[in-house]
Amino acid sequence: MSHRPVRSSAFLRASSTAVAAAAVLGAVAFPSAAAHADAAAQPALTAQDHAITDVPGMVNGRELGAFTGLGGQRVDASRLIRSESLDKITAAGAQTLASKYHVDLVIDLRTPTQVAAKPDVAIPGAKDVDISMFGADGNYSDDTAMYHDLVDKGYVDASDRGPMISAYAQVLQILATHTSGTVLIHCSHGMDRTGTVVDLLDRVLGVDSADILHDYLLSNTQLGVTWATPALLQGTFESDIATKYAGMDSYLSKTIGVTPAEAAALRSRFLVSNDASASAITVDGVTVPLAAASSPAARPSPLRSRPSRAATCTSRRRTRQPARPSTCRATPPSSRSRPRTAPPPEPTG
């Protein structure tokens, strides 16, 4: 995570006020341009986004985006929840995550120092796994530098992969093998480290780039900030993967080491059918009964983004309620030091 310090200089505070006033005047003069910029940085929540608003103290909480994935199948949103750290949730909130959302595994991507400073509130019956993506040091003064490190911090070669690649491999292995309840994954703000993990998972599932970016930018919407940008996720993180590792598929399979069996398991776990009347899945002209569709042999090649022919399939899905607009707002901790406008204060209660 990067730092955002509070400006202490009177001169800087006065300068900030002047800049803010100029911005307001600009917004008055060009309201449509300002509205367009806000909409782009903070996309509206839709029914596909499943924002979580009934867990007291949860910040930036939402399920996986219920987007279209490989073969026309739908991502099963209920399988994974992403959020900010859980240090603010109440005991009632923790119980709701356990009883209503069936969370039985929490993956914390923060550094040991960050975990110690703001320990999670325990979710009853859930196992906790700490996987520090940045290793010992997760403090950055520059977002672009941080997103470069989110690709391969410490990577030397296949025998010395560093903390970042090792963390991605471990998280994806856990997600592929966890077959009981819901997984909750988070970092400090649920935006940067959590955002790139979800990006990689969605790539395995065949989700489109536009949907991945939409889901990533929703952290701005829920936190009331504009920290997440296309330039960071696509222009830095994904661009580095393309230029340094020959693209996303190669990065996932060769650098991170996602195996064909793991890719098939992730798709079996996180993809469901859109067609309630079908009894089989057809991919590349091969029809497989649903009872056998979860086997590795029934799946397309490990990390192909999409099959060459449309697929039809079915599977039982949980009944979902339409997502309500999120009311989560957070005041980021002072340890984030990027000089940006602070978000609205977090509501009490």
Side-chain angles (χ1 to χ4, degrees), residues 203-278:
R203 294 292 174 180
V204 176
L205 302 180
V207 176
D208 282 341
S209 294
D211 288 333
I212 292 172
L213 180 62
H214 168 83
D215 183 54
Y216 168 72
L217 294 176
L218 286 177
S219 288
N220 286 340
T221 306
Q222 292 191 276
L223 290 170
V225 299
T226 55
W227 302 336
T229 68
L232 291 173
L233 185 69
Q234 296 179 329
T236 305
F237 178 72
E238 293 178 359
S239 178
D240 277 7
I241 289 172
T243 57
K244 296 173 68 175
Y245 297 100
M248 189 64 73
D249 284 359
S250 176
Y251 177 72
L252 283 163
S253 62
K254 297 178 181 179
T255 306
I256 295 176
V258 177
T259 67
E262 286 168 348
L266 288 167
R267 291 165 183 159
S268 177
R269 171 73 171 165
F270 289 98
L271 290 175
V272 293
S273 173
N274 269 328
D275 183 359
S277 65

Side-chain angles (χ1 to χ4, degrees), residues 23 138 165 211 236 263 282 302 313 333:
I165 298 298
D211 288 333
T236 305
T282 301
C313 59

Side-chain angles (χ1 to χ4, degrees), residues 145-156:
M146 177 173 65
Y147 272 75
H148 285 306
D149 271 2
L150 278 167
V151 176
D152 56 3
K153 181 181 180 182
Y155 182 83
V156 178

